[in-house]
């Protein structure tokens, strides 16, 4: 080697240190984006300097960010640090946007999973059950008597409230019954930060809830079952939460309803 004071790494050592394949390093040499500092003229072995290990990192990051070989050829042909900085900055911005998109998808997956789980738990109809739930947050809005209860979507002020609060909506919606009268419409939300006190946000504490699921038209019978149980157990029920759920996700008209009444805190 032409400089005895320089440390060199064989292609195998570079592959091991940087977790890339020897085949990839040979390809990068072939296309001109990572030319070995020294090639032994007798056996053709490739040798790289410590400085070139940084080049491998740049290539790996750029390729992960979907950079083309042509982009990298242009970048390495100029050897301009300022241009490299600009390029890496733009890739960082792209990656940040992709991460946010992935987080948005993850949030939707969580909401769908929770909705499917709660719907599955509610499939037993016309039977009183005690079920445990974690803390839930509801965005609520008073019922507009002019709209009635026929179409939940008509109560679109909830959407505006959710947007103004910068929280994540879920697929779980329903109504609050106060003293047997439907008083509010609600939407279960998710949030990553502590919510300030707000009259539009209700908290359903974790704990045991008395539940009964039923199909459309069976609401009064379900309420009577709840009341009979409450009278027997000496429980005063002033607030009920009526959830709209799915009994079968892929069947038309698969919606069911479930009333929940809080009994106690966590066990």
């Amino acid at each position: 080697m032409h400089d005895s004071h320089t440390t060199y790494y064989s292609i195998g050592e570079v592959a091991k240190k940087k977790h890339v394949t020897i085949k990839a390093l040979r390809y990068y040499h072939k296309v001109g984006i990572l030319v070995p500092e020294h090639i032994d003229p007798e056996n053709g072995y490739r040798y790289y300097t410590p400085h070139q290990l940084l080049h491998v990192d740049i290539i790996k990051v750029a390729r992960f960010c979907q950079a083309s070989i042509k982009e990298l050829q242009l970048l390495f042909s100029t050897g301009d640090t300022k241009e490299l900085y600009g390029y890496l900055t733009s890739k960082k911005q792209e990656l940040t946007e992709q991460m946010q998109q992935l987080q948005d998808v993850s949030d939707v997956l969580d909401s769908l999973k929770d909705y499917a789980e709660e719907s599955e738990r509610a499939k037993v109809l016309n039977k009183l059950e005690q079920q445990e739930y974690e803390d839930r947050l509801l965005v609520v809005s008073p019922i507009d008597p002019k709209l009635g209860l026929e179409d939940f979507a008509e109560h679109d002020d909830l959407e505006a409230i959710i947007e103004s609060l910068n929280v994540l909506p879920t697929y779980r919606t329903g109504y609050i019954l106060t003293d047997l009268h439907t008083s509010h419409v609600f939407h279960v939300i998710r949030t990553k930060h502590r919510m300030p006190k707000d009259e539009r946000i209700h908290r359903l504490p974790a704990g045991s809830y008395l539940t009964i699921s039923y199909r459309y038209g069976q609401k009064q019978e379900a309420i009577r079952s709840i009341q009979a149980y409450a009278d027997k157990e000496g429980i005063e029920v002033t607030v009920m939460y009526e959830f709209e759920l799915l009994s079968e996700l892929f069947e038309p008209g698969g919606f069911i309803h479930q009333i929940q009444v809080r009994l106690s805190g966590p066990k």
Side-chain angles (χ1 to χ4, degrees):
M1 297 182 188
H2 65 278
D3 186 352
S4 60
H5 299 291
T6 301
T7 300
Y8 287 94
Y9 298 104
S10 69
I11 192 170
E13 290 173 322
V14 174
K16 185 176 181 180
K17 282 180 175 292
K18 290 301 176 181
H19 306 289
V20 295
T21 64
I22 291 176
K23 181 179 179 181
L25 292 172
R26 287 172 176 162
Y27 176 69
Y28 297 153
H29 179 194
K30 179 181 177 181
V31 297
I33 59 176
L34 186 63
V35 178
E37 183 69 23
H38 177 74
I39 301 176
D40 193 313
E42 295 183 3
N43 53 32
Y45 288 174
R46 299 170 174 86
Y47 293 94
Y48 301 82
T49 63
H51 182 68
Q52 289 185 296
L53 298 182
L54 176 61
H55 295 180
V56 177
D57 287 335
I58 294 171
I59 293 170
K60 285 176 62 179
V61 167
R63 292 294 283 168
F64 182 82
C65 294
Q66 308 301 314
S68 68
I69 292 297
K70 285 187 177 180
E71 284 182 282
L72 290 172
Q73 286 172 329
L74 179 62
L75 183 67
F76 280 94
S77 67
T78 62
D80 188 328
T81 303
K82 183 178 180 180
E83 186 171 333
L84 172 63
Y85 174 79
Y87 178 82
L88 295 177
T89 300
S90 68
K91 287 300 178 184
K92 170 66 175 179
Q93 179 61 35
E94 290 176 14
L95 188 60
T96 300
E97 293 172 0
Q98 291 171 12
M99 289 171 64
Q100 183 57 57
Q101 292 170 358
L102 288 173
Q103 184 59 58
D104 292 343
V105 171
S106 178
D107 290 337
V108 172
L109 283 173
D110 284 339
S111 294
L112 285 169
K113 179 174 65 68
D114 290 346
Y115 186 50
E117 179 186 17
E118 193 155 347
S119 294
E120 183 65 23
R121 292 169 67 178
K123 287 177 70 172
V124 178
L125 300 178
N126 306 313
K127 180 182 178 182
L128 288 172
E129 296 183 304
Q130 289 191 32
Q131 300 194 51
E132 297 295 320
Y133 289 92
E134 297 180 353
D135 270 337
R136 291 167 289 177
L137 289 177
L138 315 179
V139 168
V140 304
S141 178
I143 290 291
D144 185 344
K146 297 178 182 178
L147 294 179
L149 302 177
E150 289 78 12
D151 189 353
F152 182 92
E154 292 182 3
H155 299 274
D156 55 4
D157 55 331
L158 276 179
E159 185 175 334
I161 295 173
I162 289 171
E163 185 174 347
S164 70
L165 292 172
N166 192 29
V167 293
L168 304 171
T170 70
Y171 294 89
R172 291 172 289 171
T173 58
Y175 305 96
I176 298 176
L177 283 68
T178 305
D179 295 325
L180 301 182
H181 297 289
T182 306
S183 59
H184 294 76
V185 63
F186 71 77
H187 201 135
V188 181
I189 60 171
R190 302 170 66 93
T191 180
K192 295 182 174 66
H193 54 271
R194 185 179 181 86
M195 297 300 298
K197 286 188 177 181
D198 192 311
E199 62 180 9
R200 299 169 299 178
I201 299 177
H202 287 199
R203 176 174 170 264
L204 279 182
S208 179
Y209 285 75
L210 180 66
T211 70
I212 185 168
S213 303
Y214 55 92
R215 294 198 181 277
Y216 182 78
Q218 299 175 322
K219 179 175 179 176
Q220 294 307 315
E221 182 180 342
I223 290 176
R224 284 194 292 270
S225 296
I226 291 277
Q227 288 178 311
Y229 178 90
D231 291 342
K232 179 182 177 181
E233 299 296 325
I235 301 171
E236 182 181 5
V237 176
T238 58
V239 179
M240 300 181 184
Y241 297 88
E242 180 185 7
F243 285 79
E244 290 190 346
L245 302 169
L246 283 173
S247 59
E248 295 297 339
L249 181 60
F250 300 104
E251 290 185 9
F255 283 97
I256 59 174
H257 300 261
Q258 184 187 69
I259 289 178
Q260 298 182 11
V261 175
R262 185 168 185 257
L263 295 177
S264 64
K267 292 182 178 179

